[in-house]
Amino acid sequence: MIELSVDAAGLARSRFAVSPLHEVAATLLPWGVRPARDADPWVARARRVLRRARLPLLSELALDGGGYVPDFLSPHPSGPSPSIEEELERVRRTPPDRVLSELETLRDGRPGSGLAGSQLPPQVRRVMARGGAYVARQVAEELRRYWDLAFAPHWEMARAVLEAEVDRRAGVLARHGAAGLFNSLHPGIAWSDGTLRVDSRFTVRLAVPLVVVVPSLVAAQPAVAVDPVRGGRRPPMVAYPVRDRATAPVPPSAELARLLGPTRAGLLTALAHPSSTTQLAERHYLSPATVSYHLGVLHRTGLVARTRSGRTVLYRRTPEGSRLAGTR
């Protein structure tokens, strides 16, 4: 069990974030080797890429059983939704002493917390001999290649699902407060009396200044990244699996198709989850211009709303649109 004590000020500073590199690093953990049955198909494909591509450091750091993946592979998100380029640059700029300290934690373990040490793989030992800065650069290069091969084609849709999850949790916070929010994330996460408890095979009790919460499409269970460097002050990052994932669009009813036309009816039915024009065009085999035109009509009639997420505009049904589509 991991117990994180957070005072009122720390609770006020705690935040959610969507992290592309967290999803990459999560595939190096055991649940990336054996994805859950409801995991997105690209999770299993990512591990096949890792086995087949020439990614020696990432391959040797990936876990088949228990253990530890160094945290510098997925730095704490610097904002609510950093880009992959921002996160890769942070990996490259990881202080050399932190890189080596985290790899030493992999070697030595933390017996008091239940983390066993393990022999460092040969390739890891070789690059360590060239210094922490060299390790960081090499890891960043491999992460970039792994991202391009396995994640980039799927990230826009994955990010939309993750950011929709953050928006849903903001609604829980507004209606039920922080305790209700944390207690809604997963059965393995509980909040009471100023302490956040997360089910884990590790044993850690810490007073922390804040918590960074990261939803994940890869994680099969909650996990906590606690600073492994002795005397380190980095706040913990709590990851949890997203349970309410976007599903394939349900065909519109015949009545809705007659009312709006089949194209607009199909788009309205698909917008139970936020989606971009590009995503909708790919799913419905339409041109982006055609989708944009029909979304404009639906938006002007108040059936869909649009919000900006970074450089992307996401569309979602309004309550009126959901009533018309026959859902709540």
Side-chain angles (χ1 to χ4, degrees):
M1 175 72 71
I2 294 179
E3 297 186 353
L4 306 174
S5 298
V6 189
D7 61 18
L11 195 59
R13 289 191 295 267
S14 296
R15 59 186 176 87
F16 276 70
V18 171
S19 167
L21 268 191
H22 178 273
E23 295 295 79
V24 175
T27 65
L28 305 179
L29 295 164
W31 53 51
V33 180
R34 297 176 294 277
R37 291 182 179 179
D38 62 344
D40 290 345
W42 55 262
V43 176
R45 287 198 297 270
R47 281 306 290 253
R48 290 198 292 272
V49 168
L50 183 65
R51 288 195 297 269
R52 296 170 184 171
R54 293 183 178 179
L55 303 170
L57 277 176
L58 296 186
S59 296
E60 289 195 341
L61 291 172
L63 299 173
D64 289 326
Y68 164 67
V69 172
D71 292 348
F72 73 88
L73 273 67
S74 57
H76 277 35
S78 56
S81 186
S83 69
I84 185 63
E85 297 299 341
E86 291 170 331
E87 295 205 305
L88 286 172
E89 185 59 24
R90 292 189 66 199
V91 173
R92 292 186 193 96
R93 294 179 178 275
T94 306
D97 57 345
R98 172 168 282 277
V99 172
L100 297 179
S101 292
E102 292 188 6
L103 291 172
E104 289 165 1
T105 296
L106 173 63
R107 180 193 63 202
D108 302 335
R110 289 285 183 268
S113 300
L115 174 62
S118 61
Q119 184 176 359
L120 292 177
Q123 179 67 13
V124 175
R125 293 200 302 271
R126 282 193 289 271
V127 295
M128 280 183 71
R130 302 184 67 171
Y134 179 81
V135 176
R137 291 194 300 270
Q138 291 299 108
V139 165
E141 288 181 12
E142 291 193 17
L143 286 170
R144 159 54 73 188
R145 189 172 180 214
Y146 189 26
W147 170 267
D148 289 341
L149 292 173
F151 296 87
H154 313 285
W155 179 243
E156 186 178 2
M157 184 176 296
R159 184 181 64 184
V161 174
L162 293 169
E163 291 185 347
E165 167 70 9
V166 173
D167 290 342
R168 283 195 294 272
R169 296 305 170 186
V172 175
L173 175 64
R175 293 176 177 86
H176 304 285
L181 167 66
F182 284 115
N183 287 323
S184 73
L185 297 178
H186 187 275
I189 300 175
W191 170 273
S192 65
D193 301 325
T195 299
L196 185 64
R197 296 176 175 86
V198 182
D199 288 346
S200 175
R201 62 189 179 86
F202 301 120
T203 302
V204 177
R205 292 180 176 84
L206 288 175
V208 298
L210 61 95
V211 175
V212 179
V213 185
V214 179
S216 174
L217 294 174
V218 177
Q221 60 195 40
V224 182
V226 177
D227 197 334
V229 177
R230 297 190 186 280
R233 298 181 178 179
R234 190 171 57 197
M237 184 166 65
V238 177
Y240 70 96
V242 175
R243 291 176 287 173
D244 184 13
R245 304 175 187 225
T247 57
V250 177
S253 67
E255 292 80 3
L256 187 64
R258 284 195 295 270
L259 177 64
L260 299 179
T263 300
R264 287 176 200 160
L267 293 173
L268 184 66
T269 303
L271 285 172
H273 298 276
S275 300
S276 69
T277 300
T278 301
Q279 291 168 340
L280 292 167
E282 291 174 351
R283 293 177 205 162
H284 293 265
Y285 303 100
L286 299 168
S287 71
T290 298
V291 172
S292 181
Y293 168 76
H294 288 294
L295 289 176
V297 174
L298 294 171
H299 180 259
R300 287 192 295 274
T301 55
L303 298 179
V304 303
R306 60 191 178 196
T307 57
R308 181 168 291 279
S309 175
R311 299 178 180 177
T312 303
V313 176
L314 298 177
Y315 290 83
R316 190 171 189 173
R317 288 197 308 247
T318 62
E320 182 62 31
S322 293
R323 283 192 291 271
L324 186 61
T327 61
R328 295 183 179 181

